[in-house]
Amino acid sequence: MAIMRPMKLAGSELLFGQGCLEHVKALKGTRAMIVISGGSLKRNGILDKVQAYLKEGGIESEVFEGVEPDPSFATVMKGAKAMLAYQPDLIVALGGGSAMDAAKGMWIYYEHPELKELADIMPPNSFPTLRNKAKMVCIPSTSGTASEVSRSIVITDDKKIKHGLGNMEMMPDIAICDPEVTASMPKKITAETGMDALTHAAEAYLSRRANYVSDTLAAQAVKDVFQYLPKAYEEGANLDYREKMLNASMVAGLAFTNVSLGIVHSMAHTLGSYFGLAHGLLNAVILPYIIEYNSADPAAKKRYDELAASVGETDFAAAVRNLNAKMDIPTSIQSLVPDKAAYEAVIDGMAEMALADGCTKTNPIIPDVAGFAQLFRTIYQG
Ligand SMILES: [Fe+2]
């Protein structure tokens, strides 16, 4: 099978493993704007460490703090303004998916102050060229989103609608994946982001665009998540488990950013928009149902059976449910959205949104609006 869509595996530098944070010393630049969410990376000393390494490398730095979960366009513009004042030649995103996505967004509007609106970078407008002013460095503090090796961002607009944007220009130049940076993640975040990584791997493996390289990466990520996520969840201070999870998340990211995802993500994006629930948690709950739904396609069923066999199981949906149960993840949406009437009232709107989501077109089976509505009911009731 010829691959006609060029694969791009990370930016120009990809570092991983315990201690690779030290590579920050070797970065080339004069001024770095570090983008973080909140105080946890200050309290655990990681921010200090990054700033000390930058200083050692002769790079001065400033911190932009205050990226919220599900970052808003207002935060993106605020950060871009801070960058326009500071004129960094390096942007260092230090944090989870929100900090990294926001920093990638700020980068665009810093490079192009003539752009003012989110719509300015969305189709039919062409995507602007980056790297005229700064290079992007991502240092993930969670193991799941893989924004450090992805071309995409999710930004929430003024009307609280989440927009997923993807363009290869946004692939970070440098990804530094040091497990120490993830070691203080709380259990709940470990579980939810870890299940996001598993969903990336499983959906990439089942993608209509899956290929030899993406399969190799995704299959390994599935095996490692099954083996090491429960361990990292129980024993978060163990850097070997953290390293396995961060590497698994990263290679799942290399796969999915090239071959895209499926309707677990379409439905999770939609539910996240409507009910403000965490992305990884939604993926974890939805994934087993979609494995069952997609298994109506014999070729997809065969692929799930391969994944199940690789983790010593026969039923992949059941294996995912067991993994969820080990981490106290609920079995249906009901407990997350207790108001059933409110949920029922928006099902048609959610079905339309999920159908239009960019992840839908690579799913093995593509539901219509009624099909999505049925799926939203199924995942609710359990
Ligand atoms: Fe995801």
Side-chain angles (χ1 to χ4, degrees), residues 144-146 193 195-197 199-200 203 256 261 265 268-269 279-280 283:
T145 142
T193 56
M195 291 306 290
D196 189 22
T199 308
H200 293 156
E203 295 213 283
F256 92 75
L261 295 161
H265 268 78
H269 291 153
H279 175 71
N283 279 331

Side-chain angles (χ1 to χ4, degrees), residues 172-195:
D173 298 286
I174 300 162
I176 302 176
C177 308
D178 188 328
E180 191 198 334
V181 181
T182 70
S184 58
M185 241 194 304
K187 281 182 108 163
K188 189 173 155 62
I189 306 291
T190 301
E192 293 176 4
T193 56
M195 291 306 290

Side-chain angles (χ1 to χ4, degrees), residues 78-321:
K78 205 173 147 197
K81 206 175 150 197
M83 287 174 191
L84 283 164
Y86 187 60
Q87 293 287 314
D89 51 9
L90 280 176
I91 299 167
V92 179
L94 175 61
S98 298
M100 292 190 280
D101 283 12
K104 285 154 89 173
M106 292 168 191
W107 183 26
I108 303 166
Y109 292 88
Y110 165 52
E111 296 263 348
H112 294 278
E114 75 279 9
L115 304 174
K116 306 284 181 208
E117 307 291 337
L118 190 54
D120 292 342
I121 59 169
M122 288 164 57
N125 293 307
S126 59
F127 199 86
T129 312
L130 303 177
R131 306 174 170 77
N132 293 312
K133 293 180 178 174
K135 284 194 171 173
M136 171 64 63
V137 183
C138 280
I139 306 177
S141 68
T142 61
S143 300
T145 142
S147 189
E148 70 275 14
V149 291
S150 92
R151 68 180 84 179
S152 11
I153 57 174
V154 180
I155 301 296
T156 304
D157 70 15
D158 318 337
K159 296 185 186 72
K160 300 271 176 236
I161 296 174
K162 288 186 182 188
H163 297 273
L165 300 166
N167 191 287
M168 204 50 96
E169 276 295 307
M170 284 189 283
M171 177 70 84
D173 298 286
I174 300 162
I176 302 176
C177 308
D178 188 328
E180 191 198 334
V181 181
T182 70
S184 58
M185 241 194 304
K187 281 182 108 163
K188 189 173 155 62
I189 306 291
T190 301
E192 293 176 4
T193 56
M195 291 306 290
D196 189 22
L198 178 67
T199 308
H200 293 156
E203 295 213 283
Y205 197 75
L206 270 289
S207 164
R208 289 169 180 250
R209 290 186 199 146
N211 62 53
Y212 174 76
V213 173
S214 63
D215 283 355
T216 304
L217 297 162
Q220 185 63 41
V222 168
K223 281 169 70 171
D224 285 340
V225 172
F226 269 89
Q227 190 170 353
Y228 294 105
L229 178 56
K231 294 188 163 96
Y233 178 77
E234 292 300 339
E235 214 183 303
N238 184 315
L239 288 183
D240 293 335
Y241 302 155
R242 292 296 196 186
E243 179 170 326
K244 292 286 189 186
M245 276 309 298
L246 187 53
N247 287 350
S249 163
M250 180 263 289
V251 298
L254 298 177
F256 92 75
T257 206
N258 281 288
V259 302
S260 194
L261 295 161
I263 61 172
V264 180
H265 268 78
S266 306
M267 294 173 75
H269 291 153
T270 301
L271 278 166
S273 280
Y274 273 81
F275 296 101
L277 297 161
H279 175 71
L281 174 61
L282 289 167
N283 279 331
V285 175
I286 299 167
L287 178 59
Y289 296 99
I290 300 306
I291 294 169
E292 286 163 347
Y293 175 79
N294 285 339
S295 292
D297 175 318
K301 169 82 167 64
K302 187 169 163 283
R303 301 283 280 169
Y304 288 126
D305 288 348
E306 289 166 10
L307 293 180
S310 80
V311 298
E313 302 278 345
T314 50
D315 179 335
F316 195 55
V320 173
R321 286 197 170 100

